[in-house]
Amino acid sequence: MSQIDNPIHITHYINPHRFYYKPETAYMQEHEQARFAAAFNEYCETEYGIIYETVRSTPSWKHPKPGDLVALRSNQLQRWIRCEMEAVMVDLNETTWYYLWAIDEGLPIKTLTIYVRPLPQAFGQEPAHAKRGGMINLLPGETQYDYMEDKPRLVPSTKWSCGVVSTLELMLETAESISFFPTAQYVLQNETIHVGELFITTQSNATHNVGEKLREACPNQLILPRKDATYFKGIVFLEAFCKQRYVNNEGLDNHVVNTFVTKINRYDPASHENLDTQTDTKVAMKVYEWLKQNQEARIAILAQQKADKDRNNDEPAIEQTIIIPAKKNLASAFALKKYLECAKCEMDKKDGTTIVTDLSIQKRDESEVATVSNSKPSNLILKMKRQQIIRQMPNIGSARSSNASE
């Protein structure tokens, strides 16, 4: 079998001995696991409701016990999923929280009680889709100085170092694809652990054995047992192998909190009924006031725009009421153009706005002026020019005589 024939998707990672995965093919719609998830969601939507606001309460519903299977409405996935109950916690605000493990998605989830309902019996026999994996022949170690032999020595450790955990996490996040080949199974605390070799394919299409890469990167933090029997004997005493599913390698809470609301149907800003009950009251009031002021501002802007539009429609259009002069009348054309400019300036000063003139009229005026200027002058105009020249001739002669006498 090729090293890339079994691609997986790691859903939750803690350390090299504790990660959860699903095959990549399980996310295809034609896969049996995807069809099971769709059928389960459809049944729960019919039985309980679509979102938590419409979920119908069930009679004699009590807090489930650790190990019980329940149905959870996931806000992140927008559908119902199967979960295993791990613990019930009450915080300082007296709010009850459920610590769940999504057995099909391979995720730890922390949620409020309003999202959880009993699991339908018809879907309780299906085995969990997410599996637990671990890297074989790889044990955590640490370097200690042996004063008897006067040299450092690698000894087994009960927990994984931050260097190994972060190095493997970086390799998994930057990998183009991940493949896992289980070679053995180990049952611990009623949980089946699949141990085997892990491979990654980089973006340059190079395939690497993750175990070998970790040995090269962290040689002083790993112990390499030569036989499988030594490996299984060593992991029994490791605290890292028995770590809780909802904490990371450092022991901190790593839950996915299922509290936010991703969709609100038919939201009415005038009422507080659709606000989340977990939202702080002061923040909700500020949001409500902001929405109200924003709505009033939008209404005022729309009213002002409507009033301006009505006023512009009532004003007469000067350019369109003027009669276009006949062609070959130069004086009338210039007078008309001058009158339009004066009228436009007066309207701009009066209203403080700019009136767009009719470009078709302006083009007609220019064409008429060009036509008149290119036409042949009439006899009357020629006579007027000759009379003007004759009147100027005596004045020119008198001016020349006065200059000669001087």
Side-chain angles (χ1 to χ4, degrees):
M1 180 182 293
S2 175
Q3 296 175 350
I4 58 176
D5 288 343
N6 190 25
I8 64 169
H9 174 71
I10 295 182
T11 62
H12 186 60
Y13 167 75
I14 301 177
N15 54 54
H17 278 170
R18 197 178 185 92
F19 58 85
Y20 294 85
Y21 68 95
K22 292 178 62 176
E24 288 285 355
T25 56
Y27 296 94
M28 302 175 62
Q29 295 182 356
E30 298 79 8
H31 198 272
E32 57 182 3
Q33 293 184 6
R35 292 200 300 265
F36 175 85
F40 177 74
N41 178 64
E42 183 179 358
Y43 183 90
C44 289
E45 285 184 352
T46 305
E47 185 72 15
Y48 301 129
I50 299 177
I51 60 176
Y52 88 96
E53 291 176 334
T54 62
V55 168
R56 293 176 289 276
S57 59
T58 55
S60 65
W61 170 249
K62 297 181 181 179
H63 291 308
K65 300 178 181 179
D68 293 346
L69 296 180
V70 296
L72 169 69
R73 170 63 190 185
S74 174
N75 289 321
Q76 288 82 3
L77 301 175
Q78 288 289 296
R79 58 182 175 88
W80 289 87
I81 60 176
R82 297 189 306 165
C83 294
E84 179 184 348
M85 188 69 183
E86 288 191 330
V88 180
M89 299 292 180
V90 181
D91 59 12
L92 297 177
N93 296 327
E94 298 184 355
T95 302
T96 303
W97 295 90
Y98 285 166
Y99 284 19
L100 306 176
W101 174 257
I103 61 176
D104 296 330
E105 280 66 34
L107 289 173
I109 299 177
K110 178 182 177 181
T111 182
L112 297 172
T113 59
I114 57 177
Y115 299 95
V116 181
R117 290 295 178 270
L119 182 74
Q121 296 181 358
F123 299 92
Q125 302 300 323
E126 177 75 9
H129 295 168
K131 300 179 181 180
R132 176 179 172 179
M135 298 182 62
I136 196 169
N137 293 333
L138 207 64
L139 297 174
E142 59 182 355
T143 303
Q144 294 182 357
Y145 193 82
D146 191 349
Y147 292 95
M148 299 296 295
E149 298 182 2
D150 194 18
K151 64 178 181 180
R153 186 166 59 93
L154 188 63
V155 297
S157 176
T158 58
K159 61 181 180 180
W160 288 95
S161 64
C162 298
V164 175
V165 174
S166 58
T167 301
L168 178 56
E169 184 177 7
L170 181 61
M171 295 173 62
L172 297 177
E173 289 180 351
T174 57
E176 184 69 20
S177 63
I178 306 171
S179 300
F180 183 64
F181 296 92
T183 58
Q185 294 184 3
Y186 186 82
V187 179
L188 180 65
Q189 297 178 353
N190 297 326
E191 187 179 21
T192 301
I193 306 171
H194 303 267
V195 293
E197 293 185 342
L198 197 65
F199 295 87
I200 60 171
T201 302
T202 62
Q203 296 181 356
S204 60
N205 201 22
T207 303
H208 302 284
N209 189 313
V210 178
E212 295 178 357
K213 289 294 181 181
L214 283 178
R215 297 184 194 107
E216 296 175 2
C218 309
N220 298 325
Q221 299 173 354
L222 296 173
I223 295 179
L224 309 177
R226 297 180 179 180
K227 297 181 180 180
D228 293 347
T230 307
Y231 167 78
F232 288 109
K233 183 178 179 180
I235 63 178
V236 175
F237 303 99
L238 291 179
E239 296 178 2
F241 210 76
C242 305
K243 190 177 291 293
Q244 295 293 337
R245 292 179 290 194
Y246 56 85
V247 297
N248 58 14
N249 186 67
E250 304 301 324
L252 302 177
D253 193 336
N254 197 22
H255 274 103
V256 177
V257 183
N258 187 57
T259 56
F260 68 91
V261 180
T262 58
K263 183 178 179 181
I264 300 178
N265 292 332
R266 296 180 297 276
Y267 178 70
D268 184 10
S271 64
H272 300 282
E273 298 176 357
N274 291 324
L275 291 177
D276 191 3
T277 56
Q278 302 300 322
T279 307
D280 185 71
T281 306
K282 295 182 180 179
V283 177
M285 290 299 297
K286 290 182 180 179
V287 173
Y288 171 72
E289 293 295 334
W290 179 84
L291 290 174
K292 185 177 179 181
Q293 294 175 3
N294 193 20
Q295 183 180 12
E296 294 176 354
R298 290 198 304 268
I299 293 175
I301 292 173
L302 291 175
Q304 183 65 29
Q305 292 178 353
K306 184 178 180 181
D308 295 341
K309 184 178 180 181
D310 294 340
R311 185 182 63 183
N312 293 333
N313 292 334
D314 295 338
E315 293 178 353
I318 299 176
E319 293 84 353
Q320 298 180 2
T321 57
I322 297 176
I323 301 174
I324 304 301
K327 293 184 178 180
K328 299 183 181 181
N329 192 341
L330 181 61
S332 299
F334 277 101
L336 173 61
K337 186 175 181 181
K338 192 67 175 179
Y339 177 75
L340 289 175
E341 294 177 354
C342 296
K344 181 177 181 302
C345 294
E346 291 179 359
M347 292 298 296
D348 291 343
K349 293 179 180 179
K350 180 179 179 180
D351 298 335
T353 58
T354 302
I355 301 175
V356 180
T357 58
D358 193 348
L359 297 178
S360 61
I361 298 177
Q362 184 176 359
K363 290 181 180 179
R364 288 196 295 270
D365 293 342
E366 293 175 357
S367 62
E368 290 168 2
V369 172
T371 303
V372 174
S373 61
N374 294 331
S375 62
K376 185 177 181 181
S378 61
N379 295 330
L380 179 60
I381 295 176
L382 293 176
K383 290 181 180 180
M384 292 176 62
K385 289 184 177 180
R386 286 197 295 268
Q387 293 294 333
Q388 186 177 2
I389 294 172
I390 293 170
R391 294 192 194 96
Q392 292 177 356
M393 289 178 64
N395 296 332
I396 295 173
S398 60
R400 290 178 178 177
S401 61
S402 61
N403 293 333
S405 61
E406 294 175 355

